[in-house]
Amino acid sequence: MSKRDYYEVLGVAKTASEAELKSAYRKLALKHHPDRNPGDKAAEDLFKEAAEAYGVLADADKRAAYDRFGHAGVRGSAGGGPGFDPSVFNEFGDFADILGNMFGFGDMFGGGRRRGGPQRGADLRYDLEISFEEAASGAETAIQIPRQESCETCTGSGAAPGSSPTQCAQCHGQGQVRFQQGFFTVARTCPACRGLGKTISKPCPTCHGAGRVNKERKITVKIPAGIATGQQLRLQNEGESGAAGGPAGHLYVVVHVQEHEFYKRDGVNLFCEIPVNFTTLALGGDITVPTLDGHEAVKVPEGTQTGTTLRIKGKGMPEIGTKHRGDLYATVQVQTPKKLNKEQRHLLEQLAKLLPKEKFEPRIHDGEDERNLFDRVKDMFG
């Protein structure tokens, strides 16, 4: 039976580029791969035929000889029988690249990372709740972290003191065993050493051969001033220790700031409400506003209306990593006295007679006045 044309096998034109050849072969290899078609002799033959065609056309010299002389020009250097050289696929990492690591073929053909090599330790997360004041000024606190650490008895080797791990006799330290499947070699994790490449005849009595033990460690965390809820701090190499000499993971501390009974926070800016006597609003004067740094005297202009917001620059929250601070916005609210003595009542009655009668005019809400305090203040101060 005569061989089919290699271009016909791959379904490409004679002018096909290297990328087109590779793409065509990948599709055929995945479609007819023996692992996906167990016991199907026809699929296996098509798989070998596609491999043979690609093995020739992917090589510039062999392709030139094939284009000039046909199958006779490459006889002995292609084909599934004697003379076939599977090493033409070495440039693709034992098929790992040509099959695109799909369906886990990368590990199957030896392209995967050895399990026995150094492995980085796992990252850890810790949720930390702090007070509003700690977030404003910064703080330093200690936390308890349960984690896996390298065993001190065996220094992480897993072997009892006085002994050491020995090279696995089955995989000879490779962590993988290889066997022939058809015309190519398959690599899989060694079952004897579970991919470690070493075996332990005398396990460490402390870690029982694991090389790591569970411990609870106290770690100091420095909280920068201005931190907000949801932000996280990364403590490098404070996660779990690595295996086989690998580096430790990181510890991520996620911060949760408690709400404040007086201030509302929006980024680096703070908002509050201050009760003020109506006489101060009408005549003007000074009021005292509590800030993070202590009490601040603030001037109220004459005729100030209730609901007016006063801006106190630089009295908000710190901005992390800078010397800049946000602002404090104090909204004044009229405070009506609940009890009046005779003199106070008399004076107010006299004032009421002198003040003009105000006409009630209903206000139409178009949505502008219904916005929250933060949005209105942003418009006022940019």
Side-chain angles (χ1 to χ4, degrees):
M1 182 177 178
S2 61
K3 288 180 177 289
R4 285 202 298 160
D5 178 77
Y6 287 150
Y7 292 101
E8 178 186 344
V9 171
L10 297 181
V12 298
K14 290 189 176 183
T15 58
S17 65
E18 183 179 342
E20 291 173 327
L21 289 171
K22 187 174 181 179
S23 176
Y25 174 65
R26 180 186 288 112
K27 292 178 181 178
L28 291 172
L30 291 174
K31 180 179 180 181
H32 301 300
H33 192 276
D35 280 0
R36 301 187 67 183
N37 304 274
D40 190 336
K41 186 64 168 60
E44 183 178 350
D45 290 341
L46 290 172
F47 179 78
K48 291 181 179 180
E49 185 183 39
E52 177 183 330
Y54 184 76
V56 170
L57 299 183
D59 185 290
D61 294 334
K62 293 177 183 178
R63 182 176 182 178
Y66 177 76
D67 289 343
R68 187 174 182 184
F69 302 108
H71 291 292
V74 292
R75 185 171 299 154
S77 63
F84 176 71
D85 182 11
S87 65
V88 296
F89 297 104
N90 286 346
E91 60 180 299
F92 302 109
D94 294 328
F95 283 96
D97 178 65
I98 197 63
L99 297 183
N101 288 319
M102 296 180 70
F103 307 105
F105 289 165
D107 288 337
M108 175 180 173
F109 293 108
R113 176 173 56 86
R114 268 190 58 192
R115 291 181 57 193
Q119 297 178 28
R120 181 176 173 273
D123 292 333
L124 298 177
R125 168 178 172 148
Y126 186 92
D127 289 271
L128 176 64
E129 184 175 71
I130 62 175
S131 67
F132 191 90
E133 290 74 17
E134 288 176 320
S137 61
E140 189 173 289
T141 186
I143 59 176
Q144 294 284 128
I145 298 293
R147 67 184 185 186
Q148 282 196 327
E149 296 185 0
S150 179
C151 176
E152 295 179 357
T153 304
C154 65
T155 64
S157 69
S163 66
S164 59
T166 57
Q167 187 182 83
C168 177
Q170 186 165 339
C171 68
H172 305 290
Q174 296 301 308
Q176 297 175 332
V177 290
R178 298 173 181 270
F179 59 93
Q180 201 73 19
Q181 181 172 322
F183 59 85
F184 53 87
T185 300
V186 176
R188 289 181 178 167
T189 301
C190 176
C193 64
R194 294 176 294 178
L196 297 176
K198 298 178 180 180
T199 57
I200 299 173
S201 57
K202 295 182 179 180
C204 171
T206 302
C207 66
H208 307 289
R212 293 185 292 179
V213 293
N214 292 321
K215 282 192 174 182
E216 193 165 282
R217 182 72 62 179
K218 180 182 287 187
I219 299 174
T220 299
V221 180
K222 293 183 178 180
I223 303 166
I227 199 165
T229 293
Q231 292 183 316
Q232 60 184 17
L233 306 172
R234 190 184 79 162
L235 278 65
Q236 194 168 354
N237 300 327
E238 291 291 358
E240 294 191 339
S241 64
H250 305 315
L251 171 63
Y252 292 89
V253 179
V254 182
V255 175
H256 303 271
V257 182
Q258 296 172 352
E259 295 289 336
H260 197 273
E261 61 181 2
F262 180 67
Y263 299 113
K264 295 295 182 183
R265 181 178 181 179
D266 184 19
V268 294
N269 295 323
L270 295 179
F271 298 81
C272 66
E273 291 185 350
I274 303 295
V276 181
N277 289 326
F278 71 91
T279 53
T280 304
L281 296 179
L283 301 175
D286 290 335
I287 61 173
T288 300
V289 178
T291 73
L292 296 174
D293 304 313
H295 289 81
E296 185 88 4
V298 179
K299 187 173 184 59
V300 177
E302 180 181 334
T304 297
Q305 301 297 307
T306 185
T308 299
T309 300
L310 306 174
R311 179 183 186 180
I312 310 172
K313 292 185 178 181
K315 294 300 180 180
M317 293 290 283
E319 184 176 343
I320 294 180
T322 72
K323 294 182 179 180
H324 174 259
R325 288 183 62 175
D327 301 327
L328 172 61
Y329 295 93
T331 301
V332 296
Q333 300 288 354
V334 66
Q335 179 175 295
T336 305
K338 295 182 178 180
K339 292 183 178 181
L340 298 173
N341 57 36
K342 290 184 178 180
E343 184 180 0
Q344 291 170 338
R345 177 175 291 277
H346 174 72
L347 291 173
L348 285 176
E349 288 173 349
Q350 292 297 110
L351 177 62
K353 293 177 182 180
L354 296 175
L355 291 175
K357 299 293 184 181
E358 294 185 7
K359 294 183 179 180
F360 173 74
E361 295 182 0
R363 299 178 63 184
I364 299 175
H365 293 279
D366 58 359
E368 182 68 19
D369 294 323
E370 296 177 359
R371 295 182 304 155
N372 63 43
L373 174 64
F374 294 167
D375 292 334
R376 285 186 282 136
V377 171
K378 286 179 181 177
D379 290 346
M380 291 169 58
F381 295 100

